[in-house]
Amino acid sequence: MENLTLKHVKVIFADLEDRGYGRSITIDVTDKDVKKQVEDWCEYTGVNGGKANIKEYKNKDGSVTLQYNFKLSKFTEIEYKGGIAERLGFGAVINLTARAFEYDNKFGKGISASLATVFVVEPAVSSKMDAIREWLNDKITKHYLSAI
């Protein structure tokens, strides 16, 4: 079956620990091109019965964010820019490759999908990381100014 590759998509949510529901990454598909690629891939491969299960989330400002969720399998490879483990969560930018596959087991049969690879292009930024960056920038600025 054909793979889907998306580049520079924004992560809405990353559940990297299995808490009984499996692991997954939810991406922002509000961009029309990204949404169309996901919809076309689901239709072509038959994932979700051929229809992309895109969820709408209404933001506080009234705008709408469209979201699509991908499962992670135990075989999903997650790579980080520069080989350094960076944060994978809200706001991270990733490249991904999803694969569709047929299943036939005691729970039923059909076509499902999971992520084969994830490459973190830009890490998620937390308030803690923002505070550290601000502190470092302040230290660097003071050091630079004192050297003048």
Side-chain angles (χ1 to χ4, degrees):
M1 297 201 146
E2 184 147 334
N3 291 339
L4 170 68
T5 299
L6 299 173
K7 294 186 175 183
H8 293 91
V9 291
K10 187 176 177 181
V11 173
I12 300 292
F13 185 76
D15 193 357
L16 303 177
E17 291 184 37
D18 187 350
R19 295 183 177 103
Y21 300 102
R23 301 178 319 137
S24 66
I25 294 177
T26 302
I27 63 165
D28 185 337
V29 295
T30 306
D31 179 274
K32 290 177 185 177
D33 292 333
V34 174
K35 181 182 178 211
K36 180 164 178 29
Q37 288 179 66
V38 170
E39 289 173 332
D40 290 351
W41 178 72
C42 287
E43 183 178 351
Y44 178 76
T45 60
V47 169
N48 299 323
K51 183 164 174 41
N53 188 14
I54 294 173
K55 304 283 187 196
E56 282 189 16
Y57 177 80
K58 189 169 183 178
N59 301 303
K60 289 180 183 178
D61 65 2
S63 64
V64 174
T65 300
L66 301 177
Q67 305 175 0
Y68 187 79
N69 183 271
F70 287 100
K71 296 177 193 173
L72 298 173
S73 78
K74 64 182 178 182
F75 304 108
T76 302
E77 295 283 337
I78 300 176
E79 300 292 332
Y80 301 89
K81 187 168 111 180
I84 300 170
E86 298 179 28
R87 293 180 48 86
L88 176 55
F90 179 77
V93 177
I94 62 172
N95 295 343
L96 65 83
T97 299
R99 62 180 189 87
F101 58 90
E102 292 183 42
Y103 65 92
D104 186 355
N105 58 36
K106 65 181 179 182
F107 302 109
K109 69 181 208 174
I111 299 172
S112 190
S114 67
L115 290 176
T117 59
V118 175
F119 180 76
V120 181
V121 178
E122 295 177 28
V125 177
S126 67
S127 57
K128 179 180 173 182
M129 288 174 68
D130 279 343
I132 290 170
R133 283 190 185 129
E134 186 176 315
W135 179 81
L136 286 173
N137 286 338
D138 187 49
K139 286 289 220 184
I140 291 167
T141 302
K142 284 181 181 175
H143 176 73
Y144 176 76
L145 291 175
S146 67
I148 296 179

